[in-house]
Amino acid sequence: MNYWLLKTEPSTFSWDDLVRKGCAEWDGVRNYLARNNMRAMAKGDLCFIYHSVGKPEIVGIARVVASAHQDSTDASGVWQCVDVEPVKKLLRSIPLAEIKSNTQFAAMKLVTHSRLSVQPITADEWKNILALV
DNA sequence: GCCAACGTTGGC
DNA sequence: GCCAACGTTGGC
């Protein structure tokens, strides 16, 4: 099983929106690297949901329920998305500042490639983030 | 195929 | 609101 981080602007689609829907297409991604990462995602993989803009922080955990398929918001057929469902909200959101200030996360894509919206997370990073909660 | 111009993302 | 980082576009 692999781990991932999904970024979203809460004003567009927030953690609460995901909980309300129960299951959602992670659509609207228009970046090739992010798309390739989604293609590598398998059913059952776990993802951190990260809120960008405003209050940057990791807010919850979601599970992949369908691997990459056509993005229904894209007519060209170029873009794909996965389906995710909420697993649980973190008891305490982990702010970006806290991740940046901790040297054990220096190699995280969130730090080194801050604009990538779908990122792989290593098992160690996953475990260490959860240890902060 | 290079690179300048431009648009977007997203932290601060 | 500013600006750095980065992706994309298009002229040559």
Side-chain angles (χ1 to χ4, degrees), chain A residues 4-123:
Chain A
W4 309 91
L5 181 141
L6 300 175
K7 267 201 253 182
T8 182
E9 281 191 44
S11 59
T12 305
F13 190 83
S14 69
W15 169 261
D16 287 340
D17 291 329
L18 179 60
V19 170
R20 205 170 299 124
K21 290 189 75 172
C23 169
E25 278 196 339
W26 203 259
D27 57 25
V29 175
R30 297 293 182 268
N31 172 282
Y32 287 101
L33 194 49
R35 183 197 66 180
N36 291 346
N37 285 336
M38 284 201 290
R39 282 178 172 173
M41 292 165 85
K43 196 175 168 185
D45 282 358
L46 293 175
C47 313
F48 283 132
I49 301 296
Y50 173 86
H51 281 176
S52 68
V53 183
K55 202 161 170 247
E57 58 189 16
I58 296 173
V59 295
I61 296 172
R63 182 187 295 114
V64 177
V65 293
S67 56
H69 57 83
Q70 167 87 42
D71 182 334
S72 65
T73 66
D74 168 49
S76 73
V78 173
W79 303 109
Q80 296 178 313
C81 63
V82 296
D83 295 351
V84 296
E85 66 178 5
V87 174
K88 66 172 177 179
K89 190 172 188 173
L90 298 185
L91 291 176
R92 178 178 79 89
S93 293
I94 305 300
L96 177 64
E98 194 170 330
I99 292 166
K100 279 190 163 176
S101 68
N102 190 327
T103 54
Q104 69 181 330
F105 301 119
M108 270 185 78
K109 295 277 191 301
L110 197 58
V111 177
T112 59
H113 296 273
S114 62
R115 288 185 51 185
L116 184 58
S117 59
V118 178
Q119 317 183 349
I121 298 272
T122 68

